[in-house]
Amino acid sequence: MNHCMNCGVWVEHLTCPLCHRKVANPTFTTEVKWYPDYHSLKQKKGNSFVSRLVIFVSIVIVSTCLLINIFVTPDFLWVFYVAATVLYLLVTSNHTINSSAHTGAKIFGQVISLSGLLIVVDVLSGFRRWSVNFVVPFLIITATLLITIIILKKRMRWQEYVGFIVALIVLGFLPVGLYITGIATILWPCAITTLYALLTLLGMLLFSDKTFKEELVRRFHI
Amino acid sequence: MSRWYKIDNAGKVFHAVTKASNSSVYRVSMIMKAPVNAVLLQKALDTVIKRFPTLAVKVRKGLFWDFMVDNEEKLSIQKETTYPCHPINPRENNGYLFRVLYFKQRISVEIFHSLTDGTGAVEFLKTLIYQYLTLQGEKLVIDGDVLFPDEVPNKYEIEDSFEKYFHESNHYHLHDKVPRSFQIKGTPFDPAGVNVIHGVISASAVNRFAKRLGASITEFITAVLIHAIYSETMKYGLYKENITIALPANLRRQFPSVTLRNFFAVVNVGMHVTDKMTLEDIIKTVSNQLRSKTERETLQAEINRHVHLQNSLTTRMVPLFLKYQAMRYGFQHFGEMAKTITLSNLGNIKLPDCMNRYIKRMEVVLYPTKNSPINCGVCSLNDQMTITFARSIVETEIIKSFFSQLTRLTGLDVEVYSNYWGEAR
């Protein structure tokens, strides 16, 4: 044990951790090692750099296109096509591919972002309503089916997907809402989506005994 | 069907406020007399983890509240490679919110605060060490100081004691505004991390010295810390703020409970220090405040206030992401800004004599936060009191002043060692 005259304490090192001075006349020259060496510790390089790079590149593309659009063809704002596509690719890159998010969250994210992209494209090209009549309902059905398959496959860890299946079941009622409000004009795809959501809910309640109901109680406890 | 648990009143906040600069992960360690055998430690953990069902959990998302469910995955011990209180990523830890580490003679348990408080963590560590020593072939006779690994956990250990001791009242005093306390500023480490400095001193000698001044150990250490903060950071400045020490109080002392979940309240002891004040004056103020604020009636009011807030229909019906925003605001303005530093004294840890002879001492490391970049943890074992400062900033003046004053005042030897994060050895 060495004595630091400056701080008045005994130290188990050659440098005092309090004043950072070398201990005068150390009696022990071999340090007691209480902690690992951190020099060899590799700094964990997360995905943050790639994510930030993708965001920066996206901003560069959109802002450049905006400038060109304003100066070259101010009557036709095609920049929104670019912006919506870039935004979708940004979500796909930073959330779906380049993140450790839950698979359920990735599927849900894709439904929302792809729906958003296609609605924008539809609106910009005259809003013939193909996005709200067909794309959104069938995207929701596809995602619900996908998560149902995952739940059936993952017998041990299916509870992790309950939140997402519930969210998609709730989302399954959205197309009918769009029809009622007049945004969507064709009923049958909207009705199929809602029926599919209801049947999924019913199937979960019937075939999972008490576990699904119990999981719902947990998820919605107040 | 796996069991599930609602997160207790105190635990809920940690889910909301945890981020890179505030890991909400604290550490309790025991320094053994012999190097740790990793194989036996893993075997001990495999057995002991079943004894603590509220620790062996993973978090699930809910719409109104998150909750915890049994975790059947294996929890592997890890050799310590990075700084203490490093954030826990459940994805890299089989869903668990705590980890067991070893390095040379040290066995550490790092726990996300949502699971349990210091008392629960120490109970887990004691049982782990008991099982580890038993697997080493030691014949140990325990007599109530350690939870036996093969016992079935009783229902009182997994209860939410906040709910149990909550009393309906017509008067819930909500703080309108908490005055801002003095905040320690410094240069953050680059790369970010936690530097710990431990000081080891004779517990009985410090106790005797504190008693002579009419104070408890916690009151004495708090007073020395206030004095150190004042003399190093405020003395030559113009400050109107109080120096406030946040002291987590173990509610089990006032409300009979054996829960292994969170059951603590934070007591803020603060004062405006001037040049004319002596250490004795500071001790007197600290003692008066601490004693009145840890009376049963005061703590009962705190429990009532927090549980009432959590249980009110308005709070319950608000979706979780909005509640988290409100909790973050509350934590920042009523918690972080209202204190200068946190000092947690786990007290004298009792172990059977048959176990004590294998253990040198204990350490407790409290995670620093952005607004409270230096925190202090204290505990005693085998008459060795370890005072640990964990900091996320380069500056050491306050810690240096604290230990220098402690040696000067008491005349006792203090042994200091560090992990040297961010520094050259």
Side-chain angles (χ1 to χ4, degrees):
Chain A
M1 197 75 74
N2 301 316
H3 193 246
C4 174
M5 305 297 278
N6 188 40
C7 304
V9 296
W10 294 91
V11 295
E12 298 195 342
H13 313 282
L14 298 173
T15 309
C16 174
L18 299 174
C19 64
H20 303 119
R21 294 183 192 180
K22 292 277 179 202
V23 178
N25 307 318
T27 43
F28 289 89
T29 49
T30 314
E31 289 196 83
V32 184
K33 209 172 170 188
W34 289 107
Y35 283 94
D37 280 329
Y38 300 126
H39 309 296
S40 55
L41 190 69
K42 283 180 188 167
Q43 284 300 306
K44 219 177 173 182
K45 284 186 180 171
N47 296 326
S48 62
F49 175 73
V50 180
S51 299
R52 277 180 284 174
L53 185 69
V54 172
I55 292 169
F56 181 70
V57 171
S58 303
I59 293 169
V60 169
I61 293 170
V62 173
S63 55
T64 310
C65 288
L66 177 68
L67 206 68
I68 295 168
N69 190 181
I70 288 168
F71 283 111
V72 180
T73 53
D75 300 333
F76 173 48
L77 290 174
W78 50 266
V79 69
F80 287 111
Y81 285 105
V82 179
T85 310
V86 166
L87 193 64
Y88 171 70
L89 292 174
L90 185 69
V91 172
T92 304
S93 162
N94 283 9
H95 185 253
T96 311
I97 299 167
N98 203 12
S99 89
S100 58
H102 195 277
T103 313
K106 289 180 177 181
I107 294 170
F108 197 79
Q110 276 296 318
V111 171
I112 301 295
S113 56
L114 194 54
S115 298
L117 166 66
L118 296 172
I119 288 170
V120 169
V121 172
D122 189 9
V123 169
L124 291 175
S125 57
F127 200 35
R128 277 177 273 177
R129 298 175 196 268
W130 51 265
S131 60
V132 285
N133 281 336
F134 300 104
V135 173
V136 173
F138 287 109
L139 267 178
I140 294 170
I141 289 177
T142 310
T144 313
L145 180 66
L146 202 59
I147 292 191
T148 311
I149 292 167
I150 293 172
I151 286 176
L152 291 173
K153 288 245 175 197
K154 289 207 170 202
R155 291 191 174 273
M156 293 297 286
R157 298 174 69 175
W158 64 270
Q159 285 98 335
E160 290 174 12
Y161 288 84
V162 166
F164 301 108
I165 196 84
V166 169
L168 283 167
I169 287 169
V170 172
L171 211 58
F173 290 85
L174 176 75
V176 164
L178 292 175
Y179 182 79
I180 292 167
T181 51
I183 297 169
T185 50
I186 300 174
L187 179 59
W188 67 267
C190 304
I192 286 176
T193 312
T194 306
L195 180 66
Y196 188 77
L198 277 170
L199 290 175
T200 307
L201 180 64
L202 196 68
M204 297 297 289
L205 288 171
L206 278 176
F207 294 108
S208 63
D209 299 326
K210 287 180 182 171
T211 46
F212 183 67
K213 278 175 257 178
E214 178 66 19
E215 193 64 25
L216 289 184
V217 170
R218 296 171 180 187
R219 299 272 175 180
F220 292 96
H221 84 272
I222 55 171
Chain B
M1 184 83 194
S2 58
R3 281 174 298 181
W4 71 291
Y5 309 93
K6 292 179 184 179
I7 299 168
D8 60 64
N9 182 275
K12 285 183 165 76
V13 178
F14 297 108
H15 287 274
V17 302
T18 298
K19 52 185 175 180
S21 59
N22 177 13
S23 71
S24 302
V25 173
Y26 64 93
R27 168 190 283 209
V28 285
S29 312
M30 284 202 190
I31 313 291
M32 311 299 289
K33 287 186 179 164
V36 177
N37 179 329
V39 178
L40 293 185
L41 184 62
Q42 181 65 60
K43 279 186 183 170
L45 176 62
D46 293 344
T47 306
V48 169
I49 199 165
K50 295 169 196 145
R51 176 66 182 80
F52 293 83
T54 50
L55 293 183
V57 289
K58 52 187 164 188
V59 173
R60 286 269 167 73
K61 294 270 172 210
L63 182 61
F64 302 104
W65 296 111
D66 287 341
F67 57 97
M68 294 176 177
V69 293
D70 284 344
N71 191 346
E72 304 289 340
E73 304 287 327
K74 185 181 174 75
L75 176 64
S76 299
I77 59 161
Q78 297 166 38
K79 187 170 184 185
E80 190 174 339
T81 53
T82 188
Y83 59 83
C85 306
H86 193 269
I88 294 176
N89 182 355
R91 285 174 190 280
E92 295 169 357
N93 201 33
N94 267 350
Y96 286 97
L97 294 166
F98 77 104
R99 57 182 161 231
V100 175
L101 302 161
Y102 68 96
F103 183 76
K104 291 186 182 273
Q105 288 150 265
R106 180 191 290 108
I107 296 175
S108 307
V109 179
E110 292 194 335
I111 299 192
F112 184 58
H113 214 326
S114 172
L115 295 186
T116 186
D117 54 16
T119 307
V122 169
E123 287 305 325
F124 177 80
L125 182 59
K126 280 158 68 175
T127 307
L128 181 69
I129 301 283
Y130 167 82
Q131 185 65 13
Y132 171 75
L133 291 172
T134 305
L135 289 171
Q136 270 192 336
E138 313 299 344
K139 296 274 181 275
L140 303 173
V141 181
I142 54 172
D143 47 3
D145 283 334
V146 178
L147 295 173
F148 197 64
D150 296 334
E151 275 175 355
V152 178
N154 77 50
K155 64 176 181 179
Y156 299 110
E157 289 173 5
I158 59 175
E159 73 176 13
D160 182 350
S161 292
F162 286 107
E163 294 281 355
K164 181 178 173 180
Y165 285 105
F166 166 64
H167 291 163
E168 282 291 354
S169 158
N170 293 325
H171 180 69
Y172 298 105
H173 175 69
L174 292 172
H175 300 302
D176 299 326
K177 198 179 173 189
V178 177
R180 186 190 162 105
S181 290
F182 174 73
Q183 309 269 292
I184 297 167
K185 303 276 184 228
T187 317
F189 283 119
D190 185 18
V194 175
N195 181 299
V196 289
I197 296 177
H198 307 275
V200 184
I201 191 167
S202 163
S204 55
V206 174
N207 191 35
R208 277 196 299 277
F209 188 83
K211 287 280 178 290
R212 277 212 298 276
L213 295 170
S216 67
I217 289 180
T218 306
E219 290 161 2
F220 171 63
I221 291 175
T222 305
V224 176
L225 190 53
I226 289 173
H227 198 262
I229 293 169
Y230 173 73
S231 56
E232 291 303 318
T233 57
M234 297 178 83
K235 197 172 179 178
Y236 301 108
L238 292 168
Y239 295 100
K240 288 177 182 166
E241 297 109 321
N242 283 354
I243 296 175
T244 305
I245 312 290
L247 296 146
N250 184 2
L251 292 172
R252 296 168 189 83
R253 288 187 187 148
Q254 294 285 6
F255 303 89
S257 170
V258 288
T259 186
L260 293 171
R261 300 171 74 181
N262 282 305
F263 195 41
F264 72 97
V266 177
V267 170
N268 281 349
V269 171
M271 71 190 70
H272 185 67
V273 186
T274 61
D275 248 353
K276 289 171 187 163
M277 285 178 93
T278 61
L279 184 69
E280 284 73 20
D281 297 330
I282 298 173
I283 289 176
K284 207 172 168 184
T285 313
V286 168
S287 297
N288 288 340
Q289 282 191 30
L290 195 58
R291 282 167 203 186
S292 76
K293 288 181 178 180
T294 49
E295 280 173 0
R296 189 182 161 103
E297 293 72 27
T298 318
L299 295 173
Q300 179 69 63
E302 278 292 294
I303 293 174
N304 293 350
R305 190 164 64 85
H306 284 114
V307 179
H308 170 74
L309 192 64
Q310 174 201 298
N311 288 353
S312 73
L313 196 63
T314 326
T315 309
R316 286 155 67 187
M317 296 306 290
V318 172
L320 191 62
F321 71 94
L322 291 176
K323 277 200 274 251
Y324 275 0
Q325 294 300 327
M327 281 189 224
R328 281 176 201 134
Y329 179 86
F331 177 77
Q332 184 66 17
H333 290 84
F334 296 95
E336 290 289 275
M337 302 300 265
K339 66 162 183 174
T340 306
I341 192 170
T342 298
L343 167 68
S344 180
N345 185 2
L346 296 187
N348 187 25
I349 307 301
K350 284 186 182 141
L351 274 178
D353 288 340
C354 59
M355 283 177 72
N356 269 338
R357 61 172 175 266
Y358 299 100
I359 303 161
K360 268 189 186 170
R361 60 175 178 271
M362 251 193 91
E363 296 165 347
V364 54
V365 185
L366 220 59
Y367 57 95
T369 62
K370 195 179 172 192
N371 289 86
S372 180
I374 304 176
N375 280 334
C376 179
V378 183
C379 61
S380 303
L381 184 82
N382 284 342
D383 196 32
Q384 298 260 292
M385 179 189 288
T386 312
I387 303 170
T388 301
F389 285 93
R391 70 185 210 275
S392 57
I393 54 171
V394 174
E395 291 76 6
T396 56
E397 288 83 1
I398 292 169
I399 305 168
K400 177 178 176 291
S401 172
F402 173 85
F403 283 120
S404 296
Q405 284 192 53
L406 193 63
T407 47
R408 189 174 49 77
L409 284 165
T410 61
L412 299 168
D413 285 342
V414 180
E415 296 170 25
V416 172
Y417 59 100
S418 166
N419 73 337
Y420 281 100
W421 176 269
E423 296 166 346
R425 269 181 205 265

